[in-house]
């Protein structure tokens, strides 16, 4: 594949100096070195284009997708990448109950029915749906969703009983009960980010780990993939950088210091906060870096997520009470949070669509954003009127009404906002607390747990196609809908033992989203999404603070081919679609 560099062709060599914060920031790797789906978003996010696939075609009613792979494409160990890898993923992982579940693959369904795979020859395959699936190609392009490029059959077959009769013995020798558990660990597709913790698995990415995260406590190192499939316009094989070195740092403060000292080549996550901007601005000369702009695409700067699938029946009933969530929203002085944490940049808003977008819904964006503790108290008095001697409300079981918000400690803006918000909740009689933790523990307790009270999250999308692909706050459809992890599992894999059947109104919202995904007609997509947003305003599942102002990042002055302005999104995994393989240093 020939890549036209953003600014100019470069030369091979050098090291890209990076960092990972804490044990749970592995999703950053998707952004920097692992965005290689069959089809990918363009750098300007105006569409999609072939990537690992040489070409693709869609029939008129979006029921048949035909993909042509590149002749001679190889994994990083030199073994061929062919439709056998596609077949293996589909038959032995995705649709095999014993193969270990996969994550984030709901886009493979149309009207609740899985697409079927048809292998034509070594480089051609089709995915066929019984009804239209208008977003299948965009689903493949979305960050971390295309598993067809991440399952090397020749490597993984050794762990599968169908191909290796000794697979059980192999697993038991490594401390597993049977082959299925070892196989699931080796393919790493069941949980977010596990895929990266293995330096032995071949890859199609520009760099391959020689020391993966978790295998070394101080740094992770990825080196050039000698079989990477892209070249620049001068014929030089990419990537330009010989290796990427990630320092493993404990927290954002350490990362900020290293950036100021010029040790980090490019960074926006974790440190590019409004409060850090003056410090980073003053450090540009000593750190030898400059700023780039991030066009914010998130649905909110921070979303309060009560656990609507709580294992505590009393709390579960209370959190599922619409008026309770509305009252908590009214208890927040959003302007105080915006002024203190975001230096006045932003305006009170719920998780919603940005004004000016055709999908903008004023009620969704603005309802219950006013600061009205009197009304909040009145609403709570009707739900939980009893109080203890300290003035805190008592829940229906007679316990002090407490809500512990469990958050990822690396999200420093969340911490700052909660320090202001907690007293606001206490002022209306709710004993709110914040519990910070490492991202890896947060993933276990919140994204994959049921016993937590509440959390906070970000991202989602505030416009157009992005919002249709990631409506996490409007319909619980993926593991990013952390306010309802059991409902989200019901949407993706209803037979999963951890799935929770939602109430009828949520099921109907899920059906609306399936209907949206089934159409390839842009006008009908707009109409169906508008209906979903209107119902989301009725259901008020979560509440937020503000739509985000544009953000920023820093990049070393000698880095070439980076973009001055980029979307800030996980779906368009900043800066992945800007093609890091063609970054180099002078």
């Amino acid at each position: 594949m020939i890549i036209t560099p953003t600014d100019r062709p470069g030369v091979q060599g050098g090291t890209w100096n990076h960092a990972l914060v804490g044990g749970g920031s592995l999703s950053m790797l998707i952004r920097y070195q692992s965005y290689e789906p069959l089809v990918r978003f363009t750098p300007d996010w105006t569409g999609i284009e072939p990537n690992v696939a040489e070409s693709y075609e869609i029939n008129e009613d979006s029921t048949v997708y035909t993909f042509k792979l590149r002749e001679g494409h190889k994994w990083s160990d030199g073994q061929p990448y062919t439709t056998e890898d596609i077949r293996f993923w589909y038959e032995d992982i995705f649709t095999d109950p014993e193969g270990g579940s996969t994550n984030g693959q709901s886009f493979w369904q149309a009207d609740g029915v899985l697409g079927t795979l048809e292998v034509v020859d070594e480089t051609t395959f089709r995915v066929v749906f019984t009804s239209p699936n208008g977003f299948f190609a965009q689903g493949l392009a979305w960050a971390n969703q295309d598993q067809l490029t991440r399952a090397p059959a020749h490597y993984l077959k050794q762990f599968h009983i169908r191909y290796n009769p000794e697979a059980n013995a192999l697993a038991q020798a490594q401390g597993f009960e049977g082959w299925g558990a070892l196989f699931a660990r080796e393919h790493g597709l069941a949980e977010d980010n596990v895929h990266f913790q293995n330096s032995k698995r071949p890859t199609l990415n520009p760099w391959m780990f020689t020391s993966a995260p978790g295998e070394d406590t101080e740094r992770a190192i990825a080196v050039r993939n000698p079989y990477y499939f892209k070249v620049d316009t001068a014929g030089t094989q990419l990537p330009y950088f010989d290796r990427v070195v990630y320092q493993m740092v404990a927290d954002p403060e350490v990362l900020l210091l290293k950036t100021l000292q010029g040790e980090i080549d490019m960074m926006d996550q974790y440190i590019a906060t409004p409060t850090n901007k003056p410090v980073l601005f003053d450090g540009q000369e000593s750190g030898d870096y400059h700023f780039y702009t991030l066009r914010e695409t998130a649905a909110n700067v921070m979303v309060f997520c009560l656990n609507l699938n709580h294992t505590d029946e009393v709390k579960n009933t209370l959190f599922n009470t619409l008026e309770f969530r509305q009252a908590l929203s009214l208890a927040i002085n959003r302007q105080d949070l915006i002024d203190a944490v975001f230096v006045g940049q932003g305006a009170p808003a719920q998780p919603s669509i940005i004004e000016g977008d055709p999908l903008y819904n004023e009620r969704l964006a603005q309802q219950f954003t006013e600061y009205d503790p009197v009304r909040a108290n009145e609403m709570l008095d009707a739900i939980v009127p009893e109080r203890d001697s300290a003035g805190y409300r008592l829940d229906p079981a007679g316990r002090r009404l407490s809500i512990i918000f469990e958050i990822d400690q690396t999200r420093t803006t969340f911490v700052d906002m909660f320090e202001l918000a907690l007293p606001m909740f206490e002022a209306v009689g709710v004993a709110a607390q914040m519990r910070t933790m490492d991202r890896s523990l947060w993933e276990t307790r919140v994204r994959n747990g049921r016993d937590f009270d509440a959390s906070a999250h970000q991202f989602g999308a505030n416009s157009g196609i992005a919002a249709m692909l990631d409506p996490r706050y409007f319909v619980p459809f993926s593991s990013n809908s952390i306010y309802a992890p059991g409902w989200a599992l019901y949407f993706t894999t209803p037979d999963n033992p951890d799935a929770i059947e939602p109430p009828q109104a949520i099921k109907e919202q899920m059906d609306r989203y399936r209907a949206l995904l089934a159409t390839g007609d842009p006008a009908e997509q707009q109409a169906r999404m508008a209906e979903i947003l209107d119902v989301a305003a009725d259901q008020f599942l979560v509440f937020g603070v503000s739509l985000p102002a544009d953000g920023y990042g820093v990049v070393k002055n000698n880095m070439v081919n980076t973009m001055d302005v980029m979307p800030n999104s996980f779906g368009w995994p900043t800066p992945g679609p800007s093609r890091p393989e063609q970054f180099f240093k002078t």
Side-chain angles (χ1 to χ4, degrees), residues 34 71 84 87 110 128 133 138 140 217 248 324 413 498 520 542 546 571:
S34 302
E71 198 82 40
E84 171 59 11
R87 184 210 62 78
V128 180
N133 186 342
Q138 289 92 334
L140 289 169
T217 57
M248 312 298 285
F324 182 77
T413 55
D498 292 326
V542 295
S546 168

Side-chain angles (χ1 to χ4, degrees), residues 158-159 164 166-176 182:
Q158 65 183 304
F159 307 108
N164 178 10
E166 303 301 318
N168 273 319
L170 180 64
Q172 289 161 5
Q174 297 192 40
F176 294 92
L182 177 59

